[in-house]
């Protein structure tokens, strides 16, 4: 029988600390009962995607609504996949979307008492538990070469057996201490494997907080715990870290479900209570008549950078994802239009176990509503921030005269029915370009059924009566008088009852002015537009139009 004490000393002579030492170093957190401790634990691959945000938002709400805390752990055990600068990109990307961490990895280092928060800096901790598993007979070294593993795979394929390192295929599982010493003496590289006692004949029952009651096949594979360089695999590292960092809930994509039996085995073997798991279904989109998962290769909207470049406000993306994650959010928002979004009671019980459908048209609708509730001051600040990075021309115009820009953006804000002119900050420039003389152009022509003489008469009479000090009621009364004097109906009801009796309606008179002053058939409220433009601009544009008629 293998002497596990001797094997543990052979493999880990440098490890003198014990699991008890680790428990003392990372004590149970002093938090209120029921407080959720969760984490985001991405790999530094340089690609921050919408799924990261969904998981982060779910974790953040659960933690902070319960009086708990959220931390960021960087899972950098796979050095081959790490992209330089990826950690900074990740932290900045999540911070932009209001996923704020109470502790964990930061751009400047670590913040918190449960670090290090980068896994490659925690190797000595993993080795303590690796040694413990060897002592318990639950882990062993495997000296298989890549060629030997490829041969095992080929033979399994020929025999139509399940793939993996298990049973008779686990050729180093029961080697003697002498064989292991000889291999080490010969300088043969090795990995440390988990000694599984599971069988695919058995099922385990498990309750996931999103998926509900599950029945999964037990793990029988002797998975790798430590790679040949002593760095742990994700599986081993996350089990140790989640215990020592006192994680109570793990939120992750349901692509991890197949590994859950192994993870539960690990927690049991290590003597840890497993956290509660929430496996989120994939984000999907319609592709023709069918649904498919959002793809990094096919769908630019999967990347968080897409939303920044398009100019979606953070709050819009946040509120849209709330509608995706909790089916009752939209009803709550309608009932509480001005409430801060943090006051919504998020619940994992409202999440769809099968995943959610991403709909950019719906996101735009949500965003229009979000922006419509913002003050002109906030819209200005956010547009300027966006334009600084993505539209220098817009940035220069807005910052040249902030008071003028804010007056433009204030049109139609407030009240029970605020305007909803844009969904993204990229929509702002085409919305307000006519307010700036160097951008102004007449883009819409007058409808052909109207006589140029009638249009000129309206413009001339408006010039003669226009007084920028008039309030909106007097301004409109003057336009009604112009309409009546030129044979246009100032009463829309009368016009609808007998349109043939009039040259047109007051709506047409207003349209003549609108095209002259804004260059468009559609614009915000004309009285407000003229107040912002000022009398000189209004008269100059009417004169320019008169010259073309």
């Amino acid at each position: 029988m293998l002497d596990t004490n001797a094997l543990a000393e052979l493999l880990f002579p440098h490890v003198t600390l014990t699991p008890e030492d680790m428990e003392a170093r990372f004590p149970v957190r002093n938090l209120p009962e029921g407080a959720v401790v969760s984490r985001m634990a991405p790999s530094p691959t340089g690609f921050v995607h919408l799924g990261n945000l969904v998981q982060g938002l779910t974790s953040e709400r659960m933690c902070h609504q319960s009086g708990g805390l959220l931390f960021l752990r960087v899972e950098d055990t796979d050095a081959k996949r790490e992209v330089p600068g990826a950690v900074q990109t990740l932290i900045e990307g999540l911070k932009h979307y209001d996923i704020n961490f109470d502790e964990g990895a930061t751009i400047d280092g670590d913040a918190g008492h449960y670090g290090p928060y980068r896994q490659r800096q925690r190797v000595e901790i993993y080795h303590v538990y690796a040694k413990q598993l060897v002592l318990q007979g639950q882990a062993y070294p495997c000296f298989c070469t890549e060629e030997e593993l490829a041969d095992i795979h080929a033979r399994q394929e020929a025999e139509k057996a399940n793939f993996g390192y298990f049973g008779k295929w686990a050729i180093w599982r029961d080697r003697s201490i002498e064989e292991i010493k000889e291999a080490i003496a010969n300088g043969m590289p090795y990995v440390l494997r988990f000694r599984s006692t599971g069988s695919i004949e058995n099922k385990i029952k498990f309750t996931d907080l999103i998926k509900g009651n599950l029945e999964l096949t037990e793990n029988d594979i002797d998975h790798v715990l430590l790679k040949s360089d002593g760095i742990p695999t994700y599986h081993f590292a996350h089990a140790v870290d989640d215990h020592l960092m006192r994680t109570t809930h793990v939120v992750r994509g349901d692509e991890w479900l197949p590994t859950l039996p192994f993870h539960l085995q690990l927690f049991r073997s290590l003597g840890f209570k497993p956290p509660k798991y929430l496996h989120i279904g994939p984000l999907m989109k319609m592709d023709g008549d069918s649904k498919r998962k959002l793809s990094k290769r096919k769908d630019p909207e999967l990347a968080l950078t897409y939303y920044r470049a398009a100019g979606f406000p953070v709050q819009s993306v946040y509120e849209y994802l709330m509608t995706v994650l909790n089916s009752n959010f939209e009803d709550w928002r309608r009932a509480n239009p001005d409430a801060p979004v943090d006051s919504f009671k998020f619940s994992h019980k409202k999440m769809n176990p099968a995943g959610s459908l991403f709909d950019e048209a719906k996101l735009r609708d949500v965003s229009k509503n979000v922006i419509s509730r913002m003050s002109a001051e906030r819209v200005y600040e956010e547009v300027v921030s966006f334009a600084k990075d993505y539209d220098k021309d817009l940035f220069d115009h807005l910052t040249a005269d902030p008071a003028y820009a804010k007056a433009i953006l204030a049109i139609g804000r407030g009240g029970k029915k605020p305007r909803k002119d844009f969904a993204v900050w990229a929509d702002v420039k085409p919305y307000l370009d006519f307010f700036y003389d160097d951008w102004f152009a007449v883009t819409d022509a007058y409808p052909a059924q109207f006589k140029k003489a009638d249009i000129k008469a309206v413009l001339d009479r408006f010039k003669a009566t226009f007084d920028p000090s008039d309030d909106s009621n007097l301004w409109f009364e003057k336009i009604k008088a112009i309409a009546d004097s030129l044979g246009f109906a100032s009463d829309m009801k009368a016009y609808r009852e007998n349109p043939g009796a009039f040259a047109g309606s007051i709506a047409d008179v207003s349209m003549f002015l609108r095209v002259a002053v804004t260059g468009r058939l559609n614009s915000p409220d004309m009285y407000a537009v003229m107040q912002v433009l000022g009398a000189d601009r209004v008269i100059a544009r009417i004169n320019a139009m008169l010259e073309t008629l």
Side-chain angles (χ1 to χ4, degrees):
M1 186 174 178
L2 185 65
D3 183 343
T4 56
N5 286 300
L7 180 59
E9 289 305 317
L10 176 65
L11 299 179
F12 299 101
H14 58 288
V15 175
T16 56
L17 296 173
T18 66
E20 290 72 28
D21 294 321
M22 295 299 103
E23 293 293 324
R25 186 189 297 184
F26 303 106
V28 174
R29 294 177 183 272
N30 182 22
L31 292 171
E33 187 176 349
V36 172
V37 177
S38 191
R39 42 68 164 183
M40 281 195 71
S43 301
T45 60
F47 183 69
V48 189
H49 57 81
L50 203 58
N52 295 135
L53 193 54
V54 166
Q55 292 171 34
L57 181 56
T58 302
S59 297
E60 187 275 333
R61 286 290 77 206
M62 291 176 63
C63 291
H64 293 154
Q65 285 184 168
S66 66
L69 60 86
L70 178 69
F71 65 88
L72 175 66
R73 184 173 74 225
V74 179
E75 302 202 328
D76 56 357
T77 58
D78 190 348
K80 294 177 183 176
R81 296 181 64 218
E82 184 167 349
V83 174
V87 173
Q88 181 169 341
T89 299
L90 173 77
I91 293 170
E92 289 177 345
L94 294 171
K95 184 177 181 181
H96 179 75
Y97 286 98
D98 286 344
I99 305 298
N100 295 306
F101 299 95
D102 302 289
E103 64 181 49
T106 73
I107 293 170
D108 301 321
D110 285 347
H113 300 295
Y114 289 77
Y117 295 92
R118 290 165 171 81
Q119 288 184 327
R120 292 183 74 86
Q121 297 175 11
R122 296 173 62 85
V123 171
E124 65 159 355
I125 297 171
Y126 307 129
H127 284 197
V128 169
Y129 288 96
K131 184 174 186 178
Q132 179 68 17
L133 289 176
V134 173
L135 278 168
Q136 296 169 181
Q138 294 180 302
Y140 64 92
C142 169
F143 296 84
C144 279
T145 64
E146 291 294 328
E147 292 75 20
E148 286 174 314
L149 292 173
D151 178 64
I152 289 170
H153 186 90
R155 286 188 286 131
Q156 287 172 334
E157 188 172 31
E159 294 183 21
K160 294 185 170 52
N162 290 333
F163 294 122
Y165 197 88
F166 66 99
K168 69 176 184 178
W169 312 103
I171 56 179
W172 278 92
R173 180 180 172 108
D174 297 314
R175 297 295 184 99
S176 66
I177 190 79
E178 288 73 25
E179 290 175 288
I180 293 170
K181 284 181 178 178
E182 183 181 356
I184 291 175
N186 290 333
M188 293 175 63
Y190 65 89
V191 298
L192 189 74
R193 288 187 180 273
F194 180 69
R195 188 187 299 274
S196 175
T197 57
S199 166
I200 59 170
E201 303 299 322
N202 300 331
K203 298 287 185 182
I204 62 168
K205 291 183 178 180
F206 179 78
T207 300
D208 183 89
L209 294 187
I210 293 177
K211 300 287 186 183
N213 295 327
L214 302 174
E215 192 172 85
L216 303 168
T217 301
E218 203 170 54
N219 171 64
D220 66 340
I221 305 294
D222 288 3
H223 288 289
V224 175
L225 301 177
L226 296 180
K227 292 173 276 190
S228 58
D229 59 0
I231 300 296
T233 58
Y234 161 79
H235 308 286
F236 183 45
H238 106 278
V240 172
D241 291 344
D242 279 340
H243 171 69
L244 293 181
M245 294 179 180
R246 308 302 173 178
T247 306
T248 64
H249 292 67
V250 170
V251 180
R252 61 186 185 182
D254 64 3
E255 69 271 16
W256 288 103
L257 267 176
T259 66
L260 184 60
F262 172 44
H263 294 167
L264 294 176
Q265 271 185 333
L266 269 178
F267 276 97
R268 186 171 63 247
S269 296
L270 289 163
F272 302 157
K273 178 184 176 181
K276 293 175 180 174
Y277 283 92
L278 298 88
H279 287 89
I280 298 179
L283 284 170
M284 295 173 286
K285 69 180 291 186
M286 295 303 298
D287 193 347
D289 295 328
S290 60
K291 295 178 184 178
R292 64 167 174 80
K293 288 175 65 173
L294 281 175
S295 158
K296 179 179 177 180
R297 184 172 55 86
K298 294 180 181 179
D299 305 308
E301 65 267 33
L302 185 60
L304 288 192
T305 51
Y306 172 85
Y307 301 94
R308 293 184 74 170
F312 281 101
V314 167
Q315 190 179 345
S316 298
V317 177
Y318 192 103
E319 293 212 8
Y320 171 69
L321 290 179
M322 277 295 187
T323 71
V324 168
L325 293 173
N326 270 198
S327 55
N328 59 327
F329 178 78
E330 286 181 89
D331 290 339
W332 175 86
R333 176 50 84 197
R334 277 190 289 269
N336 303 275
D338 300 317
V341 69
D342 284 359
S343 63
F344 170 71
K345 186 65 177 174
F346 178 86
S347 173
H348 63 79
K349 295 177 182 178
K350 295 286 186 180
M351 296 176 72
N352 186 341
S356 304
L357 187 65
F358 175 80
D359 181 350
E360 187 164 347
K362 178 70 176 292
L363 168 59
R364 293 183 71 88
D365 284 342
V366 169
S367 192
K368 283 183 178 181
N369 287 323
V370 167
I371 293 173
S372 75
R373 297 193 298 268
M374 292 181 180
S375 67
E377 184 79 28
R378 180 171 174 191
V379 171
Y380 175 79
E381 290 172 359
E382 295 219 12
V383 176
V384 165
S385 177
F386 162 78
K388 186 176 182 181
D389 292 332
Y390 298 102
D391 191 336
K392 186 177 185 303
D393 195 19
L394 177 61
F395 177 80
D396 291 342
H397 278 70
L398 295 179
T399 55
D401 187 347
Y404 181 65
K406 291 173 188 176
I408 297 168
L409 295 169
I411 294 175
R413 295 212 160 263
K416 292 183 178 179
K417 290 188 177 180
R419 290 185 63 88
K420 298 177 182 179
D421 293 290
F422 29 85
V424 293
W425 302 134
D427 294 340
V428 171
K429 187 175 183 179
Y431 163 78
L432 55 64
D433 58 3
F434 70 84
F435 282 96
Y436 293 90
D437 292 334
D438 59 332
W439 283 346
F440 173 71
V442 178
T443 55
D444 292 339
Y446 287 118
Q449 72 264 31
F450 295 105
K451 298 175 183 177
K452 287 187 178 180
D454 287 342
I455 298 171
K456 289 180 71 173
V458 167
L459 298 181
D460 278 328
R461 294 201 183 191
F462 179 81
K463 275 175 54 184
T465 63
F466 178 52
D467 183 343
S469 66
D470 290 341
D471 65 18
S472 60
N473 291 327
L474 181 54
W475 177 87
F476 190 56
E477 287 301 320
K478 287 182 176 181
I479 292 178
K480 287 169 72 175
I482 292 169
D484 288 333
S485 69
L486 295 173
F488 288 77
S490 62
D491 183 343
M492 288 303 296
K493 182 179 179 183
Y495 179 72
R496 283 192 291 270
E497 289 175 353
N498 190 10
F502 303 96
S505 72
I506 192 167
D508 300 318
V509 171
S510 297
M511 178 265 291
F512 298 161
L513 289 169
R514 179 171 281 108
V515 172
V517 174
T518 71
R520 305 174 181 179
L521 288 166
N522 296 295
S523 76
D525 175 72
M526 277 307 298
Y527 174 77
V529 166
M530 289 183 180
Q531 289 292 303
V532 173
L533 283 171
D536 291 345
R537 274 201 186 95
V538 170
I539 297 302
R541 290 183 183 184
I542 289 175
N543 285 334
M545 180 58 76
L546 285 167
E547 290 177 8
T548 68
L549 294 171

